[in-house]
Amino acid sequence: MRALPSFLSLMLLGGTLIAQNTNQSKFKQLYEELPTPNMYRTGGGAPGSFYYQQQADYSMDIRLDDATQRIYGEEVITYTNNSPDPLEYLWIQLDQNMRAPNSMTQKIRNGGVSDKMSYGDLKYLFYDFDGGFKIEYVKDENDQAVPFYINNTMMRINLDKPLANGEQKVLKIKWWYNINDRNKIGGRSGYEYFKDEDNYLYTIAQFFPRMAVYNDVEGWQNKQFLGRGEFALPFGNYDVKITVPADHIVGSTGKLQNADEVLSEEQRDRWEKAQNSTTDPVFIVTESEAKKNEKSKSKQEKTWHFQAGNVRDFAFASSRKFIWDAMAVKLGNRTVMAVSYYPKEGNPLWERYSTRVVAHTLKVYSKYTFDYPYHKAISVHTDRIGMEYPMICFNGGRPEKDGTYSKRTKYGMISVIIHEVGHNFFPMIVNSDERQWTWMDEGLNTFVQCLTEVEWEKDYPSRRGPASLITDYMKAESDQQMPIMTNSESILQFGNNAYGKPATALNILRETVMGRELFDHAFHTYAQRWMFKHPTPEDFFRTMEDASAVDLDWFWRGWFYTTDYTDIGVEDVKKYYVTDKQTEKGRELLERYGANPDEVDAIYVVEEGDKEFEKSMKGKSILENSKKLNEYVMDNFSSEERNNLKVPKYFYQVTFNKPGGLVMPLIVEFTYDDGSTEMKKYPVQVWMKNDNTVTKTIASNKEITKVVVDPDLETADVDLSNNSWPKEETPNEFEQFKNNTDG
């Protein structure tokens, strides 16, 4: 179709040309915030041609003393320096040392005395637990003593000469420590004591001195473990022997090497059957057998032998109380085992759901990232919140003593299992630095968790992910928030900041900004690029843009580097008619530009409410109201073009404002006088030249009766009172209470 007259074109576009400014800070590129690409990490977010990572292999003999609740261990670490740098010393993590009475964790803990204190508060007033590693020796491969220095949760190994590229260092370490009672002093791992039958359930992690990460980004990651910021670890191969009471069942990272020695023939047969069952779990140890086992209290011991390749950590669980079931999951041409260990106290909830949830999680996460590469994934029931390690996680969600449970308990258990099993992908395989950037594992994982929950059940009551669930946090006072790009130990409102907000951001990115196809491809690319490697935030940011051709610097800047919030509203709506009759404003405009109003063929617009013109023009089309425009169309359009020409009756000038700091796509629903609706979505760049207001001109054959911004609550808008025209009054709390109680 040919162009309309230039003056009319100006009238149609004029709304976007008024009151512009050059403030483009919200769209400024992130060059200053992100490190310069180099040979190790490319500008597109991929590992560079010189990318390297260290390797730490472990051989361990562990003994669990059920009488004293102690772990005794000996390990041989073979550390390979794959970096180009000669290393003058090595750093080893001693995370159990945060439980030592004089640890930094205890010294920095804040808290006062109030007239009402929880037992959790009191436990720190009476903290006398003798925690922490007791290091008996550190030796080299020739059994010669190696000098070391312990600084709280870090141990420096002093080398007699620098470890060059390609060289290995062998360290032999012997240690023991007292296992913590999780109910009394908390912890990611530890034991639970069951008084009724005088039994223990052990979930054991951070139980051995572990090599710290050395990489191209910051050298040694030797930031102290204070209790919140989790772990940064190199990949390696593990050969671990775990000695426990003979009546214990052990679940662990790695593949069992001596099933003939530790399992009965019947248990081995059941395990074989489970490997062919893809619909229902098969019991390897039944509840009745576990109940019988609880009473045995064997004085003998068994040693379980596990091997794991290319994992970043190792953990295990051990108890005579365990029920054990498993089922097979088909991923491509491979079979992976979904496994659960739980005491009778977890039933009937756990036997109904746990292993099925593990299987479901492996399928959905594999779809969005990569096929799960390990041979199994384990869910272990504890009385505490969840915690994750390669191939194994510890999860809460316990029914009442009579076996009943609420929907909250049920969905809470399902969610924590999805979340902790999902951590196998982030950060156990896509191995980000949890000590520095919690959001890179918790936030990304929570996002995929939400996708997995929806695929488990359509109307799943997710606690995080949907945009509307984060608005209370985002509109909180600024002193209660930190940017997502904040170190783990400094975060305020940890759950909202590290889990909820980044998960919501990615959900908005997928559903509203990029669209599912572009987002899913980019997210999949990130996971594929960085599986079994150490990504940083900039690797994620750059990959998401590199694989989608979508400039997202404005998004990362707003959502991840600031505490700005979304608030977009409708400021004003005006309706106009078109006419040949000269208006006073039109005459003034022509004179302002030096034109003679009497000599210009112009088309004028009149705002609704102008009594002089409205009566004769209302309800008519533009062509009916404008003789000149009608003549132009007749002269310049063919008969076929005129038949196809849709000429609106009205023009609306709609002005949107943005009190909030975040720029977001402008999503608007228009309702017309016949009850129909139309959704229009304007890309975020609509705010590029004016950070305060945007004016759009809408041509319509029908009268607009309502305008609503973000009708489906996609953008985490914190104030809905300004989202509608005509303005919708929101009842105050008293009115809501009155409405709910009337009648």
Side-chain angles (χ1 to χ4, degrees), residues 3 18 22 420 463 533 578 598 601 673 691 721:
I18 296 173
T22 58
E420 304 307 338
R463 292 178 54 237
K533 295 182 177 68
V578 176
D598 297 324
D601 286 340
D673 56 355
D691 192 48
S721 66

Side-chain angles (χ1 to χ4, degrees), residues 81-290:
N81 181 15
N82 294 317
S83 80
D85 311 319
L87 304 178
E88 302 169 81
Y89 40 76
L90 309 179
W91 281 104
I92 292 178
Q93 302 183 57
L94 302 178
D95 299 304
Q96 287 294 335
N97 282 3
M98 61 88 63
R99 303 195 189 289
N102 62 344
S103 73
M104 185 185 300
T105 302
Q106 305 306 323
K107 292 177 180 178
I108 67 173
R109 192 180 304 278
N110 281 283
V113 177
S114 63
D115 56 358
K116 181 181 180 182
M117 298 181 70
S118 70
Y119 287 107
D121 296 326
L122 290 173
K123 71 185 178 185
Y124 295 111
L125 296 177
F126 299 101
Y127 188 89
D128 60 354
F129 177 66
D130 183 18
F133 284 112
K134 312 299 189 290
I135 303 294
E136 295 194 8
Y137 63 69
V138 180
K139 298 179 180 180
D140 63 17
E141 66 268 34
N142 298 316
D143 290 330
Q144 298 299 305
V146 174
F148 62 90
Y149 182 85
I150 295 176
N151 175 18
N152 197 40
T153 62
M154 299 300 302
M155 179 167 67
R156 188 183 68 231
I157 303 297
N158 298 317
L159 302 177
D160 55 358
K161 64 175 183 177
L163 189 67
N165 169 259
E167 291 185 344
Q168 293 183 330
K169 181 65 178 178
V170 175
L171 298 171
K172 298 180 179 180
I173 305 176
K174 184 177 182 179
W175 76 95
W176 65 273
Y177 72 90
N178 293 309
I179 306 171
N180 53 297
D181 183 336
R182 291 193 314 273
N183 279 324
K184 290 183 178 179
I185 62 174
R188 289 175 166 79
S189 63
Y191 69 78
E192 178 182 2
Y193 177 62
F194 293 83
K195 185 177 180 180
D196 290 347
E197 68 263 0
D198 186 30
N199 264 317
Y200 294 86
L201 189 159
Y202 298 92
T203 49
I204 305 299
Q206 292 91 249
F207 65 92
F208 60 100
R210 304 181 296 175
M211 291 301 306
V213 166
Y214 182 87
N215 64 21
D216 61 285
V217 178
E218 58 188 339
W220 286 106
Q221 166 47 293
N222 52 15
K223 187 174 173 61
Q224 295 286 345
F225 178 50
L226 301 179
R228 174 179 282 177
E230 292 180 358
F231 313 109
L233 299 158
F235 288 104
N237 301 315
Y238 286 73
D239 188 293
V240 183
K241 295 177 181 177
I242 306 169
T243 300
V244 298
D247 49 6
H248 272 217
I249 294 293
V250 176
S252 172
T253 302
K255 184 173 289 188
L256 182 62
Q257 301 298 301
N258 61 336
D260 290 350
E261 298 175 15
V262 296
L263 301 181
S264 69
E265 183 178 356
E266 185 175 22
Q267 288 169 341
R268 296 196 302 271
D269 290 342
R270 291 171 176 175
W271 177 254
E272 290 295 327
K273 182 180 178 182
Q275 294 182 65
N276 294 298
S277 178
T278 58
T279 55
D280 295 299
V282 174
F283 285 97
I284 291 87
V285 177
T286 67
E287 181 170 341
S288 62
E289 291 167 341

